[in-house]
Amino acid sequence: MEKYVLHFAEIDKTHLPNVGGKGANLGEMTKVGLPIPDGFCVSTSAYRTFIESSTEMEELFNQLVKVRADDLDEIRRLGQRIRNHLKSLTISDSIKSSIIEAWITIGQEKSYAVRSSATAEDLPNASFAGQQDTYLNIRGQEELLQAIQNCWASLFTDRAISYRTKNGFDHRSVFLSVVVQEMVNPDVSGIMFTADPITGHRETLSIDASFGLGEALVSGVVSADLYHVRESEIIKKQISEKKIAIFSKPEGGTVTEELPPDKQGEQALKDDEIIRLAEIGKAIEAHYGSEQDIEWCLVDGEFHIVQSRPITSLYPLPEKKDDRLHAYVSVSHAQMMTDVMKPLASSLWKTLFPFGKETVASECPYVQEIGGRIYIDLTNVLYLKESRILYTFLMKAMDEKMANALSNLVQRDEFMKDAQSNPAIKRGAIKLLSPVGTKVMKNVLFANPEKAAREADQTLDRFVKEAKEQLSGFSSTDRIRKIQDSVGTLFLSILPKLFPYFVSGMVANKLLRMLSNWWLGDDQDVKLLQKSLPGNVTSEMGLKVGDLADIVREHPELFKYLETAEDETFYQGMDRLNGGHAFREEFEDFMDNYGMRCSGEIDITKPRWHEAPTQLVPSILTHVRSVAPGQHRKKFKQGQLEADKAAERLIQRAKELSDGWWKARIIKRLVSVSRHLMGMREHHKYVLVHYMDQYRQALLEGGRRLVEENRLQQTEDMYYFSLHDLLSIMHGNFEGDIDSIIQERKEAYSHYAKLTPPRILTSDGESVTAVLSDIHAPEGALIGTPASAGNVEGIARVVLKPEESNLQEGEILIAPFTDPGWTPLFQSAKALVMEIGGTMTHGSVVAREYGIPAVVGIDGATQKIKNGQRIRVNAEEGYVQIIEGDHSE
C-alpha cells in the first residue's frame, strides 16, 4: 500500500509521482545537506483516495475535458463548483491519522507553510508554479487539515484549469501532493535566479530581496531590492523603497505592516550576505545541473531554502568549443520567419551556408539550430573593423533593433578582449564580395538599367528551370545526396549572379537620398520612387491574387464554394460552377508561377500552396470583401504615375540648381537604376524557394518510401531528422532508437515553440537588446521603425497566420512578421504593423510599393494590440498609439 505521508528525509527526485515537483525538490535538497526547514509531504496517493471518495468527480472531469482554454466564463463556473464540492468532502480517518502523526513528530507547537505540489509542476518544459494556493503560518490540527483540503481543491483554480487545457495536460492525470513545511519567521526573504531571467545571461545570478515574508514580493505588493552577482562579485545593486512587509502572527496567519521610514530605503541584504546566498544558489544549480528559481529566507543571519525549481523560460544556450564570448545573429529574423522549425528545416539551412565546411554536403560549423531557430556565429567576422561596419549597415536595413543590439555587443570590452586576427576571413570576404561589388559599380555607373533588369529576369528563369530539372532521374538515396550537394552550392550560385542587381538599386537609392538631401534639402520624392516598382516578383504575385478575386467577386456561387473548399477536393466540381472554369485556369497559371510559396516558406517542412491551395482562400476572399473590382491594378498604376512624377520633379529641381546640367544627369541616372533594379529584391528568394520546393517533393517521396519499408510510422516523422540522418536511415546504419528520438524531438519542438527567440544571442545565453532612442513619440506609444511613410487611424486586426486571416476593409494588419506568403493580404490592409523587420525587409518594401504606411520592429505588437482596438499608426516617426477599442475578436 502506498504511503499517505512521506517525510523530506525519505524523498528524492525519484518520488516525483508521489510528491510532485515541489516535494521532490525539497526532499532532494534535504538529502544533500542544504539548509531546508523540516517538513513532510501528503502524497498523491492521499489525493487520489480523497478524490475517489467523491461520487460526482467523474462527471465533473468529463465536463472539464470539453471546456475550451479561452472560455473563461465556463472555466470560472466549473472551477468554483469543483472547489466547493471538494471542500465539502470528509477526509478519511486513515489519511487524517497519517498527517497528524507526521505533524506531531515535527512539532505540534510549530507553525507551518502549506503548499501544493502537482505532479506536472516544475518540470523542465512546463511550470505550474503559482497556480494552486499557499497557506502560511498554519497552527493547530484542524487548521492544518483544512489547509491541506483547501490545497487539494486549489488544483482546480481558474488559472490551473486554463493552463492545463491550453497546454494539453489531462486533468485526470495531474495529481496533487501537499507540502507541509516548518514555518520560519524571516528577517529578509526573496527569490534568487541562478541565471538572469530577463537577459538570459547564465553567469549573472539575480536576487530579489525584501523584509519579512516572501509573500509580499511574490504577490507584487512590494518592490524588492535587486542584486546581480557575477563571478562572486556584486555587479549591480538596485535598492528599492520597501514601504510594507508581511509578517507571521503568533496566533497564526499573517499581517501586513508599514515599515518605519528609516527602514524603507535600507538595503535588505548586506553585501557579504548577497555573496553567501549566491554561493548557495550556485551549489543548488550544480546539484541539479540546470538553472534554478529559488525561494529563500534569512533568519538570524542564517539562510534557509524553501523551494527550488528549474527556470523554464530561458532560451537554450549555443554550443561553443572555446572560452571566448561568441555572438550569434538570428537568421530567422533576417528571413522574417521566427516560428520554430523542425530539425530537417534547420539541417537544410546549415547545409546552405558554404563557410568553413569540410565538404559541399557538410553542415556549416558556424550555423547552429538554437531553440528551433537558425543562428550564425559571426564572432570571428565581427573582430574585423570593416566587417563590423558592413554588417551593422546591412542589419540596419533588415532590423534596426538587431543592428543596435549588435553595435552594443561589439563595443563591449568583454567581447573584443579575445579578438583574434584571421587574415583568411578577410581574404574570403574579398573573394566572395569583390565580384558583387564590381557588378554593382558597373550597374550604378555604366550599364543600361533596362538591359540589366532583363539580365536579372533571364538569370532567374534559368535558375528556376534548373531547379525543376536537377533532381529528376535519381533514386531516393541518391536524391538526398544530390540535395545535399545542391543545397551546399546554392548560396554561391545565387549570390554573385542575382544579388548585385538588387544591391545596385539599393545603392542608387541610397545615393539619391543623400544627394537629394544635400542638393535639394529633402528626400520626399526619393521615397515615392519605391512605389510600384517594376519587376518585383512578389508584388506581381499580389496583383495576380487580386485578379483571382475579381473573378470570384462576379460569381457568388464560386465564393461559397471556396468558403468550404478542402485541399483534397479543391478542383473537383469547380468547372461546373459559373466562373469556375475561368477561375481554375487563372488559379492553375498562378500555381505554375507561385505554387511553391507559402507562409513561412523558408521552412521546408511547411506545405506549399500547390499542395494545400486552401491556404490562399482567406486572402482571395478578404480581397473580394475589402477591395473594389480592379482597384488593385488601378492602385498599382497610380503608384507608377506618382513615382514617374516624383522622378520628373527630382530631375527638374536639380536642373534649377547651379551647375544643374550635370547634377540633373546624375539624378536621372540614379533614378533609372533605382527604379529598374530595386524591384529585383525578391529574385534570389524566389529562386531559393523554387529549389526548396523541389527538395521538399523529393524528400517527401523518400519519406513515403521509408514508411512503406516500416522504418518510419508516418511520412512527417522524417521532419525530425537531418539530411545526414535520413541518409543513414535509408542505408540502414542509423544509430539510436528512431521512435524514441522522434518523440524526444517532438517534445523539444513543442517547448521551443513557446519561447521568443532573441535577435542577438551570446554564448553566455544573454539576449542582447537595444532600444530605439531617437523617436519622438507620445507617452505610452509603442515604438518601432518607420518603414513606409504615412499617418493613419483605423481598427486593428491581429493576424498570426495568413491562412487564418479575417482582415476586413479598412483594417490595420498587425502581424508577427511577413514573408512573401503574406503578400496577398497587403492589398486589403490600411496599414501594416510588425514585430520584426527593418526598412528593407519584405513587408516594408511591399508596403512602400503599395503605398500603405508601415511601422516595424515593435516587440510584442501582436499581444499588446488587440483586435477591434482603434489605433493610430505614425509611420513618419515610427510609433503606434492605442486610442480606444472593444478588444473584440
Side-chain angles (χ1 to χ4, degrees):
M1 178 180 172
E2 291 185 52
K3 296 178 69 173
Y4 287 145
V5 169
L6 292 165
H7 286 269
F8 287 173
E10 301 177 80
I11 297 168
D12 58 30
K13 60 187 176 183
T14 66
H15 288 85
L16 189 145
N18 309 101
V19 297
K22 188 180 279 109
N25 284 342
L26 288 168
E28 183 78 12
M29 289 188 291
T30 297
K31 282 199 165 184
V32 298
L34 288 164
I36 310 297
D38 198 9
F40 60 88
C41 292
V42 183
S43 71
T44 56
S45 178
Y47 165 80
R48 291 197 300 272
T49 300
F50 175 72
I51 289 291
E52 288 165 4
S53 70
S54 165
T55 58
E56 297 181 30
M57 276 306 296
E58 183 60 30
E59 174 55 30
L60 292 170
F61 275 129
N62 290 337
Q63 292 184 42
L64 280 176
V65 170
K66 298 174 184 176
V67 76
R68 300 193 319 272
D70 60 351
D71 190 348
L72 301 183
D73 289 337
E74 179 62 14
I75 287 174
R76 194 176 298 115
R77 183 195 68 78
L78 191 55
Q80 185 65 56
R81 181 181 169 188
I82 295 173
R83 293 193 299 275
N84 289 341
H85 171 65
L86 292 178
K87 289 177 183 179
S88 72
L89 297 177
T90 300
I91 302 175
S92 70
D93 291 340
S94 57
I95 295 175
K96 276 185 182 179
S97 61
S98 297
I99 294 170
I100 293 168
E101 181 182 338
W103 170 64
I104 292 172
T105 299
I106 296 178
Q108 304 177 55
E109 75 288 352
K110 295 179 178 179
S111 298
Y112 292 89
V114 180
R115 295 183 171 95
S116 60
S117 179
T119 53
E121 187 174 78
D122 301 338
L123 300 178
N125 293 341
S127 179
F128 283 62
Q131 291 180 17
Q132 288 84 44
D133 293 338
T134 293
Y135 301 91
L136 300 177
N137 206 28
I138 300 299
R139 298 176 67 87
Q141 177 178 310
E142 291 306 315
E143 288 80 1
L144 176 62
L145 291 171
Q146 186 60 58
I148 290 169
Q149 190 164 357
N150 288 341
C151 267
W152 284 334
S154 74
L155 186 60
F156 300 95
T157 60
D158 300 349
R159 60 186 180 274
I161 293 171
S162 180
Y163 183 89
R164 291 196 297 270
T165 303
K166 183 178 180 181
N167 290 278
F169 287 93
D170 183 351
H171 299 284
R172 287 184 175 87
S173 300
V174 177
F175 304 122
L176 196 74
S177 168
V178 178
V179 174
V180 179
Q181 188 172 25
E182 182 183 341
M183 188 85 179
V184 292
N185 295 311
D187 304 306
V188 186
S189 58
I191 300 170
M192 169 169 53
F193 298 94
T194 62
D196 189 334
I198 305 301
T199 68
H201 198 295
R202 299 308 201 274
E203 301 303 317
T204 300
L205 186 142
S206 180
I207 299 172
D208 290 329
S210 63
F211 295 112
L213 293 170
E215 194 65 18
L217 191 157
V218 173
S219 60
V221 299
V222 66
S223 295
D225 287 355
L226 172 65
Y227 317 124
H228 280 175
V229 179
R230 191 182 299 171
E231 296 179 352
S232 298
E233 289 188 13
I234 300 170
I235 61 171
K236 178 181 180 179
K237 283 195 292 188
Q238 185 175 300
I239 312 302
S240 297
E241 188 177 21
K242 300 168 284 292
K243 292 186 177 182
I244 62 171
I246 297 177
F247 298 100
S248 300
K249 294 193 295 185
E251 68 274 18
T254 61
V255 61
T256 301
E257 296 180 357
E258 185 171 337
L259 292 172
D262 60 337
K263 189 82 169 174
Q264 293 178 8
E266 184 180 318
Q267 183 174 319
L269 286 180
K270 298 173 184 176
D271 285 4
D272 65 310
E273 292 171 336
I274 295 171
I275 298 300
R276 187 152 48 97
L277 178 59
E279 290 171 354
I280 295 173
K282 283 299 180 184
I284 295 173
E285 179 185 80
H287 173 73
Y288 282 108
S290 67
E291 296 77 14
Q292 297 290 299
D293 168 358
I294 301 165
E295 296 176 28
W296 58 269
C297 53
L298 180 69
V299 184
D300 297 329
E302 296 297 324
F303 283 106
H304 298 265
I305 304 301
V306 295
Q307 183 50 267
S308 184
R309 62 177 69 89
I311 306 175
T312 60
S313 59
L314 294 174
Y315 205 76
L317 276 173
E319 296 179 5
K320 66 169 188 172
K321 297 180 179 179
D322 56 45
D323 294 329
R324 292 181 296 153
L325 182 65
H326 286 245
Y328 300 85
V329 177
S330 171
V331 176
S332 298
H333 280 80
Q335 289 296 320
M336 299 300 290
M337 209 293 285
T338 56
D339 288 348
V340 62
M341 292 198 294
K342 298 182 179 73
L344 181 58
S346 299
S347 174
L348 186 140
W349 278 91
K350 288 190 277 187
T351 308
L352 177 69
F353 284 89
F355 314 110
K357 303 192 335 179
E358 294 180 1
T359 67
V360 167
S362 303
E363 293 184 350
C364 176
Y366 302 113
V367 180
Q368 285 194 32
E369 177 273 310
I370 309 172
R373 282 81 174 185
I374 299 299
Y375 286 81
I376 184 166
D377 183 352
L378 288 181
T379 307
N380 292 328
V381 175
L382 293 173
Y383 286 155
L384 298 172
K385 181 179 179 181
E386 300 87 346
S387 297
R388 291 198 297 273
I389 295 171
L390 176 62
Y391 271 97
T392 303
F393 170 76
L394 292 175
M395 283 184 188
K396 196 173 183 68
M398 290 188 294
D399 189 310
E400 191 171 358
K401 286 186 176 178
M402 184 184 286
N404 289 356
L406 191 66
S407 295
N408 173 340
L409 179 61
V410 298
Q411 290 173 25
R412 297 182 189 177
D413 291 340
E414 60 183 311
F415 180 77
M416 294 306 298
K417 69 181 177 65
D418 294 316
Q420 300 174 358
S421 177
N422 190 336
I425 292 178
K426 184 178 287 189
R427 289 195 300 269
I430 293 172
K431 182 179 179 181
L432 178 65
L433 296 177
S434 287
V436 175
T438 301
K439 185 77 171 177
V440 169
M441 187 177 298
K442 178 183 175 183
N443 285 338
V444 172
L445 299 178
F446 311 115
N448 182 325
E450 291 184 41
K451 183 179 178 183
R454 287 196 299 272
E455 288 174 359
D457 288 338
Q458 290 165 1
T459 304
L460 179 144
D461 291 339
R462 187 171 67 252
F463 271 123
V464 169
K465 183 180 179 182
E466 289 175 1
K468 292 179 178 179
E469 296 174 349
Q470 196 172 63
L471 300 176
S472 60
F474 290 92
S475 67
S476 297
T477 305
D478 289 338
R479 280 187 180 181
I480 290 186
R481 288 200 192 94
K482 187 71 174 176
I483 288 171
Q484 288 178 307
D485 291 339
S486 175
V487 175
T489 57
L490 194 57
F491 186 95
L492 293 179
S493 297
I494 294 177
L495 182 72
K497 291 184 174 67
L498 280 175
F499 205 60
Y501 296 102
F502 160 61
V503 175
S504 300
M506 190 169 72
V507 168
N509 189 266
K510 188 78 175 176
L511 289 171
L512 263 177
R513 293 189 68 173
M514 183 182 70
L515 293 177
S516 184
N517 279 311
W518 182 18
W519 290 342
L520 306 176
D522 65 76
D523 64 355
Q524 294 305 309
D525 281 330
V526 178
K527 293 177 182 178
L528 293 175
L529 292 178
Q530 296 187 50
K531 283 194 171 186
S532 302
L533 288 168
N536 187 321
V537 289
T538 304
S539 298
E540 291 168 355
M541 179 184 72
L543 293 173
K544 290 284 188 182
V545 171
D547 295 341
L548 289 167
D550 280 351
I551 298 174
V552 174
R553 184 183 287 105
E554 296 175 1
H555 303 284
E557 189 180 12
L558 181 58
F559 187 99
K560 289 182 179 179
Y561 176 87
L562 291 175
E563 282 186 306
T564 58
E566 297 180 356
D567 290 324
E568 294 77 10
T569 58
F570 188 78
Y571 297 102
Q572 293 178 16
M574 191 178 286
D575 288 344
R576 295 195 297 269
L577 302 173
N578 287 332
H581 181 71
F583 177 83
R584 177 169 180 164
E585 281 193 339
E586 189 80 18
F587 195 82
E588 288 177 339
D589 179 67
F590 180 93
M591 286 297 176
D592 285 342
N593 290 290
Y594 309 109
M596 77 294 179
R597 313 210 85 148
C598 64
S599 173
E601 61 193 12
I602 68 166
D603 183 347
I604 197 173
T605 70
K606 300 256 187 187
R608 309 289 121 169
W609 283 339
H610 69 79
E611 300 172 73
T614 57
Q615 292 182 78
L616 270 171
V617 168
S619 297
I620 295 171
L621 299 187
T622 291
H623 199 287
V624 172
R625 287 190 292 261
S626 58
V627 181
Q631 183 63 31
H632 60 294
R633 293 285 179 182
K634 293 175 186 175
K635 190 174 181 180
F636 192 81
K637 183 66 175 176
Q638 180 62 34
Q640 289 178 319
L641 294 174
E642 290 177 19
D644 289 343
K645 289 179 180 178
E648 291 173 5
R649 285 194 300 271
L650 279 169
I651 295 167
Q652 183 58 40
R653 290 173 67 190
K655 285 180 179 177
E656 294 169 1
L657 299 171
S658 60
D659 298 324
W661 65 272
W662 63 269
K663 290 177 179 176
R665 286 188 64 183
I666 293 174
I667 294 290
K668 184 176 181 179
R669 170 72 191 180
L670 293 175
V671 165
S672 182
V673 174
S674 176
R675 285 291 294 168
H676 281 98
L677 299 184
M678 280 284 283
M680 308 295 112
R681 181 198 177 280
E682 298 287 337
H683 275 41
H684 57 284
K685 183 77 170 285
Y686 182 83
V687 167
L688 174 63
V689 176
H690 261 291
Y691 273 91
M692 291 183 73
D693 183 39
Q694 297 302 310
Y695 301 151
R696 173 178 166 79
Q697 303 315 313
L699 287 166
L700 284 172
E701 182 181 323
R704 287 188 286 267
R705 182 172 175 179
L706 290 173
V707 172
E708 291 171 2
E709 295 171 354
N710 295 317
R711 301 191 196 192
L712 296 178
Q713 293 184 22
Q714 54 187 3
T715 305
E716 290 73 17
D717 285 346
M718 73 173 185
Y719 296 157
Y720 295 94
F721 296 96
S722 68
L723 290 169
H724 179 75
D725 287 343
L726 287 175
L727 203 57
S728 297
I729 292 171
M730 288 181 173
H731 281 300
N733 56 12
F734 180 78
E735 297 182 0
D737 181 74
I738 289 177
D739 290 340
S740 298
I741 289 172
I742 291 171
Q743 183 58 36
E744 178 184 321
R745 291 176 181 177
K746 283 183 176 180
E747 291 173 1
Y749 176 85
S750 297
H751 173 57
Y752 295 154
K754 300 170 188 174
L755 302 180
T756 300
R759 292 169 165 84
I760 306 291
L761 183 67
T762 73
S763 49
D764 285 335
E766 179 185 2
S767 172
V768 185
T769 58
V771 296
L772 305 174
S773 57
D774 58 346
I775 292 175
H776 305 288
E779 185 176 352
L782 306 178
I783 307 299
T785 299
S788 179
N791 290 291
V792 299
E793 288 186 15
I795 302 301
R797 173 62 60 179
V798 178
V799 179
L800 301 180
K801 297 179 180 179
E803 60 269 25
E804 297 173 0
S805 72
N806 188 27
L807 194 65
Q808 303 296 318
E809 182 176 3
E811 289 184 332
I812 296 171
L813 174 61
I814 317 295
F817 53 80
T818 65
D819 62 7
W822 290 71
T823 303
L825 289 178
F826 280 41
Q827 295 279 4
S828 304
K830 188 175 185 179
L832 171 67
V833 177
M834 290 194 300
E835 293 182 331
I836 64 173
T839 57
M840 292 310 298
T841 46
H842 166 267
S844 304
V845 172
V846 177
R848 289 194 295 270
E849 288 196 32
Y850 286 2
I852 61 173
V855 177
V856 301
I858 297 181
D859 292 331
T862 58
Q863 287 83 43
K864 295 171 183 174
I865 303 172
K866 309 297 182 184
N867 280 334
Q869 287 183 324
R870 188 166 188 82
I871 64 174
R872 179 179 296 118
V873 178
N874 185 323
E876 304 290 341
E877 292 288 345
Y879 64 83
V880 174
Q881 282 179 285
I882 300 173
I883 303 171
E884 58 185 14
D886 61 7
H887 304 192
S888 64
E889 296 298 321

